[in-house]
Each structure stands twice: as structure tokens, then as C-alpha cells.
Amino acid sequence: MRIANLAGRATIVTDQGLVDVASRSNGAFSTSIDKCVRNLDNLLTWFHAAQPEVTDPTTPSELYGDARLGPVVLNPQQIFAVALNYRHHAEEMKLALSKQPTIFTKFASSLCGPNDELPIPSDTTDFEAELVVVIGATARGLTLENALTAVAGYCVGQDFSDRTLQMQGAPPQYSLGKSYRNFSPIGPWLTTADEIPDPNNLSIRCNVSGDDYQDAFTSDMVFTVAEIVSYLSDVVELRPGDLIFTGSPHGSGQGQTPPRFLKPGDHVVTEIGRLGRIENRAV
Ligand code: ZN
């Protein structure tokens, strides 16, 4: 099942069209995307049993670029991100791989919809295509074997980064440098985990203004999704609606010669196989 936040209403996206969750369920489920994500197992069961008719014939591909789409989680309690989690990306950044996941946060006020504009705050603003994990259960102490049971689903994300602020100071400012306004678009919808048996077998791409820069597979991750979720849960309590940005493959702007940073007018298209695509215009 795919669920979107369309014009502020939780909306199931099917190949035949859109299903407004609250109206088709006669109010059994909320209009709120956050409440639906926190109640996803029941929503999924209802959807398969009731097989509700569409409320709008708009198809998934017609939703691409739609400015009415909001983030698939509006108010997560925690947002985690993993630095240098792709082998080739670590090589291009000339940084050594670490023995455990390197975690930072993207502050929640940087979240935005999948097609929102990106205000450029600096001349070193960079793009990073990322697979985003949406947590669906309260959990601690997960093992590698059961880690994915806490995952509600996945979506496409961008970890936009101001490289200057990110690397300023010692230790550097990863969290602030990646948290300017609209630096964390996610979407276009949440695809539930039952449809993605292996999150480490997905294509991931980023195209900027017509040129392909990132084109990789999530199988290049240093730490798999299960390893990241398990590692985090040894320290913190994971909560429904939490987000994990799982790192970016090689090909970001800083890795180019000369560097290719974003400028107003650039059109950034980020796509992950089976999860869809998001589009952000720099302004
Ligand atoms: Zn990143």
C-alpha cells in the first residue's frame, strides 16, 4: 500500500486512483497522515479487507510534481541520518569508513513536501539522494533478525546539505548544515514495508537540471537498513513516525570536478525504484 499526504489528508495511492482514507472509512481512520502512520497495521488490514473504491481517478504518475503533496510524516519525534553510508560516496569524499554507523540529525523544521521549492542559502548547497525509513513501532533492543519488523515503510528523500556550514568547526556541524528550510523533502508517498522485502536492493538516482549525477543501488550501503535500525535501537527508543535518512550514494555535487553545487533555477529529481520520485526546484 502507498499512502500520501495530499492537501493535508491521508490518501491511499492505487494504480486506479486515490482513496481518501477518512471519508472512505467513514471516519474510522483520521485525515491526519501522522495518525495513520502510527496506526498503519490496522489501516493496511482495513484497506485489503474493504477494498474501498477510489475517490479521485488521479493515477500515481499524475501525482508526480503535484504541489499539494506534503511530507509523509509531518511531526516525527526523532529524525536520524547516517553519514558516509555508501562505499563509493566515502571514497569520493576522501573519508574513511567507520566501524559503526555515524549518526546525526536533521531537525524537524527542515521537513517539507516532495515537490516543494528549495531556497538556496549558500553557494555550497549540495544534493544527496537518500532512502528514508519510516518507523512504525515503539522499539528498543532490536536484533538484526527482527529490526525490520519495526519499519512501517519507505520513501524517497533528499538530504540537502550546505557543505560550508556542515564542515565548520571541530567537531563539524552536520546537523545544522543539513537543516535549513526545506532541506529535507520526503515522499512522494510512503510505500509500506510489505511491498519492499529487501530495502537494500533498490535503484537510487538523482538528476539535476537534466544531468544524471547519482545512479547507484542501495546494496552499496556500508550498513544495511536492518543494521542501522538495530544499532539505533540499542541506544534510543524508536517511535512510530520516526525517520531515518540512510545515507547517500556517490555522485553528489561536492564529488564532481569542479564541484557542482546547486543554484537558483536548478531542478532536482530524486528517484528510488518502486518508491517513486520527488522533484525540487531551487530558488
Ligand atoms: Zn546524507
Side-chain angles (χ1 to χ4, degrees):
M1 186 179 76
R2 293 167 290 199
I3 183 164
N5 175 12
L6 185 67
R9 295 180 70 91
T11 304
I12 294 171
V13 178
T14 77
D15 290 339
Q16 290 72 41
L18 308 175
V19 177
D20 184 89
V21 169
S23 62
R24 274 291 183 256
S25 70
N26 295 317
F29 294 96
S30 173
T31 58
S32 154
I33 188 73
D34 283 353
K35 286 183 179 167
C36 286
V37 168
R38 286 165 174 76
N39 193 19
L40 205 58
D41 283 348
N42 289 327
L43 181 60
L44 197 55
T45 301
W46 167 77
F47 176 65
H48 288 311
Q51 301 193 330
E53 286 184 27
V54 302
T55 47
D56 176 335
T58 302
T59 62
S61 60
E62 289 170 337
L63 268 187
Y64 287 136
D66 195 318
R68 294 176 300 162
L69 287 171
V72 297
V73 176
L74 273 171
N75 293 295
Q77 290 195 31
Q78 307 176 98
I79 304 175
F80 307 97
V82 188
L84 299 172
N85 196 33
Y86 281 76
R87 288 176 177 75
H88 290 106
H89 178 56
E91 286 168 16
E92 80 179 344
M93 301 293 276
K94 299 183 172 55
L95 293 164
L97 297 178
S98 64
K99 299 224 180 334
Q100 69 289 316
T102 300
I103 306 296
F104 60 95
T105 190
K106 285 169 77 70
F107 295 110
S109 61
S110 66
L111 277 180
C112 69
N115 303 307
D116 286 353
E117 290 183 338
L118 169 72
I120 297 285
S122 73
D123 56 9
T124 54
T125 301
D126 206 349
F127 51 89
E128 294 190 350
E130 304 211 3
L131 171 68
V132 175
V133 175
V134 181
I135 296 294
T138 301
R140 282 187 186 271
L142 296 165
T143 63
L144 275 185
E145 288 68 35
N146 67 12
L148 294 186
T149 62
V151 174
Y154 304 92
C155 64
V156 182
Q158 257 294 341
D159 177 18
F160 287 124
S161 307
D162 174 19
R163 299 299 186 199
T164 303
L165 179 56
Q166 178 190 344
M167 302 311 290
Q168 220 161 52
Q173 300 259 36
Y174 271 47
S175 298
L176 270 188
K178 290 160 173 279
S179 293
Y180 278 102
R181 180 191 298 267
N182 289 10
F183 264 33
S184 309
I186 55 171
W189 38 71
L190 181 160
T191 300
T192 52
D194 57 306
E195 300 202 7
I196 309 293
D198 183 2
N200 285 104
N201 186 27
L202 301 169
S203 63
I204 178 166
R205 284 188 288 275
C206 183
N207 178 296
V208 181
S209 296
D211 293 321
D212 288 323
Y213 285 96
Q214 297 184 292
D215 189 355
F217 280 86
T218 56
S219 51
D220 188 43
M221 283 188 191
V222 179
F223 300 100
T224 63
V225 170
E227 286 174 316
I228 295 164
V229 171
S230 167
Y231 177 78
L232 284 169
S233 76
D234 277 343
V235 181
V236 298
E237 181 174 274
L238 297 175
R239 294 170 175 177
D242 283 355
L243 302 173
I244 307 171
F245 285 70
T246 55
S248 184
H250 64 286
S252 62
Q254 177 149 305
Q256 310 297 320
T257 311
R260 197 317 185 181
F261 294 122
L262 296 173
K263 53 187 186 305
D266 273 334
H267 186 223
V268 183
V269 179
T270 311
E271 187 165 17
I272 295 180
R274 300 184 64 184
L275 300 183
R277 71 169 188 263
I278 65 175
E279 303 181 27
N280 305 98
R281 186 169 293 281
V283 295

